[in-house]
Amino acid sequence: MEKVKLTIDNKLIEVEKGTTIYKAAKQLGIDIPVLCYMNLEDLGIENKPGGCRICVVEVEGRRNLAPSCSTDCAEGMVVNTHSIRVINARRTVMEFILSDHPKDCLTCAKSGNCELQDMAVKLGIREIPGQEYAAMSTYKMDFSPSLIRELDKCIMCRRCEMMCNDFQTVGALSAFKRGFEAAVGPAFEMDIEDSTCTYCGQCVAVCPTGALTEKDHTREVINALSDPTKTVIVQTAPAVRAALGEEFGLKPGTLVTGKMVAALRRLGFNYVFDTDFAADLTIMEEGTELLGRLTKHLNGDKEVKLPILTSCCPAWVNFFEHNFPDMKEIPSTARSPQQMFGAIAKTYFADKIKVKREDLVVISIMPCLAKKYEAQRDEFKVDGNPDVDFSLSTRELAHLIKQANLDFKSLPDEDFDKPLGESTGAAVIFGVTGGVIEAAVRTAYELQTGKKLERVEFEQLRGMESIRKATIDFNGTPINIGIAHGLGNARKLLEDIKAGKSEFHAIEIMACPGGCIGGGGQPLHHSDSSILKARTKAIFAEDEAKVLRKSHENPYIIKLYEEFLGKPMSEKAHHLLHTHYFDKSGKIEIS
Amino acid sequence: MTKYKQIRIALNNCGVIDPENIEDYIARDGYMALGKCITEMTPQDVIKEIKDSGLRGRGGGGFPAGLKWEIASKNHADQKYVVCNADEGDPGAFMDRSVLEGDPHAVLEAMAICGYSIGATKGLIYIRAEYPLAIKRLKIAIDQAREVGLLGKNIFGSKFDFDIELRYGAGAFVCGEETSLIHSMEGLRGEPTIKPPFPAEKGYLGKPTNVNNVETYASVPIIIRKGASWFNKIGTEKSKGTKVFALAGKVNNVGLVEVPMGTTLREVIFEIGGGIQNGKKFKAVQTGGPSGGCLTEKHLDTPIDFDNLVAAGSMMGSGGMIVMDEDNCMVSVAKFYLDFTVEESCGKCSPCRIGNKRLFELLERITKGQGTMDDLQRLRNMSNVIKDTSLCGLGQTSPNPVLSTLDNFYDEYLAHVKDHKCPAGECKDLMKYFIIAENCVGCTACARVCPVGAITGEKKEAHLINSETCIKCGACMERCKFDAIIIK
Amino acid sequence: MSRIKVKVKEKDLNTIKEICKSFNNEQGELINVLHKTQEHFGYLPAEIQEVVAQELEMSVAKVYGVVTFYSFFTMKPKGKFPISICTGTACYVRGAENVLAEFKRQLNIEVGETTEDGKFSLSCLRCVGACGLAPVVLVGEKTYGRVSPEGVKDILAEYNDK
């Protein structure tokens, strides 16, 4: 690789050709401020429009200032990142940006966690000259079941547009209009609810300002908790425990399962349960469905639909309903763990504790924003009463804990309640890309072959590559497995299936980078991909620490079937734990 | 005095030939240059000839055309493109339209020459949809050239293939910037991207692409025919050949002018343009459109070339030349250009998207008499930062009208800010209507016509205008038969 | 999601499909497709953009992004006699603003709007390349040069009975 030598702030450095000034400066410990630039290293996600112009630096011999995020180093270059010219330009540009940005920081959902606010602090902005007569670009507010768009706060960093189009290939968002009026949103500035949005929440996860935030449901949860007539129970998704600690200053990757349970109990939930229980249940149902289809296929049944696709991820479900409705028979009919939990809680468990359905409130804590939408789907309601009443994101839970004056870090480690709080390691790994299929393989293998797995870890299914393939030997029968995270990657696998080119028997798909640990409801990663990796590690650590690591070994799951459901795919199981999908494409009708 | 005599290179055939008849063009040595290139010259020879001629891009920046071709020729690819930028967007410039309407084959021939030299077989003309006649004539010209084998396969019996298609602009000034133009041709929003990579490396559909404007191409065939040494004898040391200007505004003779580089502004405005209309006083000349600046009396004897204009705080641009007289307010002129930039900014980078809006707002305040001395300071700082930090040529030059008027007409700004007066009498908000008591006969016609009841006075006595209530609609002045109402 | 269904006449649907097909349904031809479509329908309402997006297999958000980027494309129907006032520099220095103001006053509409009877619409354009005739006004294809605010009335009068 060719190298180039250059000087940055009087320090000499040699870097590979093609390295940007920003990255080279970083190697020297010089932190050039960036706003629109975003790079999730090793995930192939980069946003580099060179639009905000905050990262400009002075390059000797160049007429104007250079954006360091998108200017490559060159031999002999002399760069100054903090000359008066640069500092003045950076501040003036920041003043421009802030002059077109609302000043309601006190009540903004992003306050305290806002990259724009941090930048204003870093650059020492104390006033916006001429603000009193500066026009602001204004747009209508947009509320949806999962997210809120307040475009007045859009700074045109284009990160959401990049995630929605390049990474997710959802195409709900695009830059529209031009100049001062330009912003990013759906076609015709319609409500996001009317677009092809899947509510994956990745736009929210990368938005540096308060322009895109989750729909907050903490108020509803507090109301339920303070209602003496209600029994309020909570379920927590696996990815939450690997990230929640970050909101309280703990190192990324710190597992806080016990403290989280303690906090939820102190918040007043009557029972603290685990979505992991439902994840084990999912494996029983989905695994059985997989084996059923596989067996038919191996017996030469031409009608059977393969590959089977996982259906745990609600954004993914939305995605294929919009984009591949003709293939809606392929995904597993198993509901997601959140919904399985809700269905069991409001039947089996409600009966057990003798509480009427309408007096039982089920709250979920999810790393996800699409879960909010999923919870309110009509097919998951009984007489208008939803199986899951409200879904909170990891961030919202952190807010609740802070509001309740709980010193999170000093809370004791406590255990989930029984029976819906028991789970295996297989359920925990639902939180990372490849985890669902690995959990399914652990169970399907043993059920299919009748043999006991010597080693439950399937390293070949793990990793961060966008699309992964592995073949697992099921006692002489090779089973081809595909894994994709990110809907753009999922689309590739689906196109292959459509074209009849797919070699897979089963495919796991997660919408978010890294799986649920990178979900749209997680603590903001601020484009640091090492955080996602640390969370992944934590999930696998929790799996390893478990005594039981295969879903079918969960004693409470076994009991649930014995007492209530019968067997996997039974009629009752079908009724409560399976679903069907809808065609949401085809907006155009002939009049 | 023959120095300022016009020389026609780019406009060589305009008005002389029937642009819808290829025979006419051929009769005037048309396609001879292409034939010479293909049959007698290697691609390297052609590039050398263009380099030696000193031809610089006529679209604004003045980048040496030969060098551009050379870079594109050295980047290897299975497909390359020759693009003609005919999205003439400067308000007050119509040189390219005239060339396309008057001599379309010259552009086609030049593009083919360029294609031969850089190794491209496809040409694209990106033309404004608002130029229907130019589009029609180009289509005819392309068809005729194809018919006689001057476009298409095996041109002049050689192995060289070249064909040209039209692409339509859709009304975005920023598409004059070459990366924006390319994105627009690809069906995208015409937003610029950071250079490098330059189009010569990664252009249309990611392939090496040479982009020049109409006038640049129009100069190519004659350079090949008459030789680089003929061309480079015309003009100044660093700017060779001629430049077409669209002379407009307050001069007696408006229209297209093609003069050798090095001609002075005075020669163009006063000798060719015949001086200022109605015997008024020359005040300023704006060159370079929204990217350029306003030059004054003291610049009149500056020889026009790329570098001198930049040094004087303006630029060549594509060749708009608007003359202003004493009735034009320079703050308003700056505001006019900023209004244009605000509307045409693509919005991708913050200094251009927001900064220009702020510049416009400040200028508006000043023209309303609400500006402060601090505002003048901020105007300059914001202008400098926008120039220094904007992503593309649009934002990097958009403050030029402000900076050049601040430099050359600071007194006029001061008059607006300190005295709340517009010396040119153009800023409505700073004008007041008065009744000259001596002329007023007290007919009450003005009071009756005033829509806001700002005029009072007894019959047969001099009336008075209450300037607080007056909305400056001018109705009174129109009605007064005794010339008793004036604006100050 | 997709609570809104878009209704298009079969004839119009087929027209758009044909236009897209004539450009091989290529996304890169979007601007050409939009030109042709606007030429046919006079404007580009949402439902037309939905069909174009479907035919070119691209997101309608992107189509809308392109339509709203270029000033030539419009989502509102133009009047029977579209009036365009040149606001290029040459016209500006010769008083185009006053002419524009007079049109606005007479028609009682703003730039980008159409009169209630659908007869006139008002727009500004940048330099039609007739600077010698400044200020210039176009009504449909017809050009009027050296227009003064006083002359506006007469121009409009020409279209009174049409």
Side-chain angles (χ1 to χ4, degrees), chain A residues 59-76:
Chain A
V59 176
E60 261 182 36
R62 196 182 143 124
R63 189 167 40 89
N64 52 0
L65 300 177
S68 60
C69 72
S70 42
T71 305
D72 285 353
C73 295
E75 183 63 36

Side-chain angles (χ1 to χ4, degrees), chain B residues 88 90-95 97-98 101 128 130-131 246 256, chain C residues 86 88 91 125-133 136:
Chain B
E88 192 168 52
D90 279 18
F94 51 96
M95 299 68 55
R97 194 191 72 162
S98 304
E101 286 177 3
R128 278 183 81 172
E130 292 96 328
Y131 282 176
L256 288 189
Chain C
C86 177
C91 291
L125 46 82
R126 305 288 187 191
C127 199
V128 289
C131 304
L133 295 173
V136 175

Side-chain angles (χ1 to χ4, degrees), chain A residues 178 189 194 197 587 589, chain C residues 1 3 6 8 64 68-69:
Chain A
R178 72 179 184 210
E189 291 152 75
D194 297 321
C197 175
K587 288 174 73 175
E589 281 178 355
Chain C
M1 278 171 280
R3 295 175 301 186
V6 175
V8 187
Y64 177 71
T68 53
F69 187 87

Side-chain angles (χ1 to χ4, degrees), chain A residues 107-147:
Chain A
T107 50
C108 178
K110 274 281 174 72
S111 189
N113 207 352
C114 169
E115 292 178 40
L116 188 67
Q117 201 176 47
D118 292 349
M119 188 65 70
V121 172
K122 185 180 164 83
L123 300 182
I125 310 289
R126 286 288 173 274
E127 59 166 343
I128 315 297
Q131 183 68 69
E132 55 293 1
Y133 48 81
M136 311 255 271
S137 49
T138 53
Y139 312 85
K140 65 169 183 147
M141 289 279 289
D142 177 14
F143 302 90
S144 75
S146 289
L147 47 97

Side-chain angles (χ1 to χ4, degrees), chain B residues 240-311:
Chain B
K240 301 298 182 192
T242 57
K243 176 76 191 93
V244 183
F245 290 99
L247 189 58
K250 305 280 183 72
V251 279
N252 282 312
N253 311 325
V254 295
L256 288 189
V257 180
E258 182 167 3
V259 290
M261 297 279 190
T263 308
T264 65
L265 287 165
R266 187 184 300 281
E267 286 164 334
V268 175
I269 296 165
F270 289 92
E271 295 178 28
I272 299 172
I276 310 299
Q277 277 181 348
N278 306 325
K280 297 243 179 179
K281 200 168 168 290
F282 167 82
K283 184 172 189 180
V285 55
Q286 211 280 352
T287 69
S291 310
C294 292
L295 303 176
T296 64
E297 189 82 39
K298 69 175 186 235
H299 301 107
L300 279 178
D301 293 310
T302 308
I304 303 168
D305 73 4
F306 288 104
D307 311 288
N308 284 342
L309 286 181
V310 170

Side-chain angles (χ1 to χ4, degrees), chain A residues 52-53 70 85 99 135 177, chain B residues 189 194 350 358 361 388-389:
Chain A
C52 75
R53 315 308 275 188
S70 42
R85 183 178 164 203
S99 74
K177 296 194 177 165
Chain B
R189 290 164 60 85
I194 288 163
S350 19
R358 301 296 172 241
E361 286 166 348
D388 224 4
T389 57

Side-chain angles (χ1 to χ4, degrees), chain A residues 277-511:
Chain A
F277 171 83
D280 279 333
L281 187 56
T282 303
I283 290 302
M284 298 308 292
E285 293 296 323
E286 199 170 295
T288 307
E289 193 186 354
L290 164 70
L291 283 180
R293 286 205 218 171
L294 258 183
T295 313
K296 279 189 193 163
H297 169 73
L298 295 174
N299 291 339
D301 183 346
K302 296 269 185 267
E303 293 297 299
V304 67
K305 298 252 195 309
L306 277 181
I308 189 168
L309 309 174
T310 59
S311 55
C312 316
C313 171
W316 152 235
V317 169
N318 292 338
F319 183 74
F320 73 71
E321 285 183 329
H322 274 294
N323 298 286
F324 297 92
D326 46 334
M327 291 163 75
K328 66 182 162 55
E329 308 306 323
I330 298 184
S332 163
T333 57
R335 292 184 190 181
S336 74
Q338 165 177 281
Q339 293 311 134
M340 284 201 184
F341 182 96
I344 293 299
K346 287 207 173 172
T347 53
Y348 174 71
F349 180 68
D351 284 352
K352 251 191 193 323
I353 58 166
K354 304 205 162 39
V355 171
K356 280 190 287 184
R357 179 183 178 95
E358 53 271 30
D359 291 333
L360 184 69
V361 179
V362 176
I363 307 296
S364 70
I365 313 294
M366 294 283 144
C368 178
L369 300 187
K371 288 286 176 196
K372 288 174 184 280
Y373 168 77
E374 184 186 54
Q376 53 117 70
R377 274 179 174 248
D378 286 338
E379 62 270 30
F380 298 141
K381 287 177 185 164
V382 175
D383 299 330
N385 178 284
D387 291 347
V388 176
D389 293 86
F390 299 107
S391 174
L392 295 189
S393 67
T394 312
R395 293 191 295 270
E396 288 167 88
L397 173 60
H399 287 154
L400 269 186
I401 294 171
K402 286 170 189 168
Q403 282 175 45
N405 302 324
L406 296 174
D407 179 9
F408 187 78
K409 282 196 267 190
S410 61
L411 287 174
D413 286 342
E414 294 183 5
D415 282 332
F416 287 106
D417 291 314
K418 305 267 184 290
L420 309 184
E422 184 65 45
S423 69
T424 70
V428 175
I429 57 173
F430 265 55
V432 297
T433 168
V436 173
I437 208 77
E438 181 171 338
V441 167
R442 288 181 191 177
T443 288
Y445 183 90
E446 292 202 350
L447 295 185
Q448 167 80 359
T449 64
K451 286 187 187 170
K452 201 163 173 59
L453 276 172
E454 292 297 313
R455 205 181 131 71
V456 296
E457 293 90 355
F458 288 85
E459 296 291 342
Q460 62 271 49
L461 300 173
R462 301 182 180 181
M464 276 288 186
E465 300 93 287
S466 52
I467 294 177
R468 305 193 294 283
K469 299 170 187 186
T471 301
I472 311 280
D473 180 10
F474 269 45
N475 207 19
T477 310
I479 302 298
N480 297 328
I481 287 169
I483 297 162
H485 55 134
L487 295 172
N489 299 316
R491 183 186 286 275
K492 288 178 201 155
L493 296 185
L494 262 96
E495 299 286 1
D496 279 355
I497 299 173
K498 213 172 180 176
K501 290 193 299 190
S502 184
E503 72 227 61
F504 299 116
H505 298 104
I507 296 176
E508 179 207 286
I509 289 167
M510 293 292 156

